[in-house]
Amino acid sequence: MTEVIFRAARRADVPAIVALLADDPLGAGREAAGGDAGGTVVGEEVDAAYWRAFDDIDADPRNALVVADLAGEVVGTMQLTFIPGLSRLGAERAQIEAVRVRADQRGAGLGRRMISWAVDEARARGCRLVQLTTDKRRADAHRFYAGLGFEASHEGMKLAL
């Protein structure tokens, strides 16, 4: 069996990443995938906002857009953001966002491997805290992250602009 590798996303991966973001009940209402979650979206169909966002993330040394690559196919994605801070004695923290696993790969441990990899990356960078948010409606995700040792220690708030 081919091994999944975690690597920095490339521009060519953007259509598959967008399809992953749109492939769930919450994402379907807020993303503009222009195709399906099988990675079949062609680059010209992806909204220009995604291309700009990719370029911004790619140019920022404190951000990493990561894909799980299985035999050349994007089967998972997440974004890591490294945040400097004065609290906790000047600790840098890692924020994990937009974690998605392709539907046909769910339930096989890929999500667990992705988060483990992200935590190892944060530790190697010297971060003292890893944090993430997940929508309150994602009960399965809450159980998943709790099972990995994450604690729901804070109440997050957002203001849509």
Side-chain angles (χ1 to χ4, degrees), residues 65-96:
L65 186 58
V66 177
V67 296
D69 181 312
L70 177 63
E73 289 187 42
V74 173
V75 295
T77 188
M78 64 185 156
Q79 182 175 341
L80 304 178
T81 303
F82 300 99
I83 307 166
L86 288 176
S87 68
R88 298 176 180 258
L89 297 171
E92 184 171 64
R93 64 186 65 207
Q95 171 83 22
I96 304 173

Side-chain angles (χ1 to χ4, degrees), residues 127-139:
C127 292
R128 289 194 235 144
L129 182 73
V130 176
Q131 63 189 29
L132 55 84
T133 61
T134 184
D135 193 285
K136 287 184 176 189
R137 296 169 285 185
R138 294 185 187 275

Side-chain angles (χ1 to χ4, degrees), residues 14-121:
V14 171
I17 293 168
V18 172
L20 286 170
L21 294 173
D23 185 31
D24 71 33
L26 299 178
R30 65 180 175 226
E31 305 297 342
D36 65 31
T40 59
V41 181
V42 294
E44 294 75 31
E45 293 181 26
V46 173
D47 191 281
Y50 292 114
W51 297 114
R52 285 189 302 273
F54 174 82
D55 290 340
D56 289 346
I57 293 164
D58 194 47
D60 186 342
R62 292 197 173 277
N63 273 281
L65 186 58
V66 177
V67 296
D69 181 312
L70 177 63
E73 289 187 42
V74 173
V75 295
T77 188
M78 64 185 156
Q79 182 175 341
L80 304 178
T81 303
F82 300 99
I83 307 166
L86 288 176
S87 68
R88 298 176 180 258
L89 297 171
E92 184 171 64
R93 64 186 65 207
Q95 171 83 22
I96 304 173
E97 299 182 71
V99 177
R100 300 291 192 282
V101 173
R102 201 170 72 189
D104 66 333
Q105 299 295 315
R106 293 180 193 146
L110 178 57
R112 180 176 296 276
R113 289 181 52 210
M114 288 171 61
I115 298 301
S116 177
W117 182 89
V119 169
D120 288 346
E121 288 293 304

Side-chain angles (χ1 to χ4, degrees), residues 112 115 119 130 132 142-153:
R112 180 176 296 276
I115 298 301
V119 169
V130 176
L132 55 84
H142 299 172
R143 284 189 293 278
F144 171 74
Y145 292 122
L148 295 174
F150 287 84
E151 296 178 28
S153 62

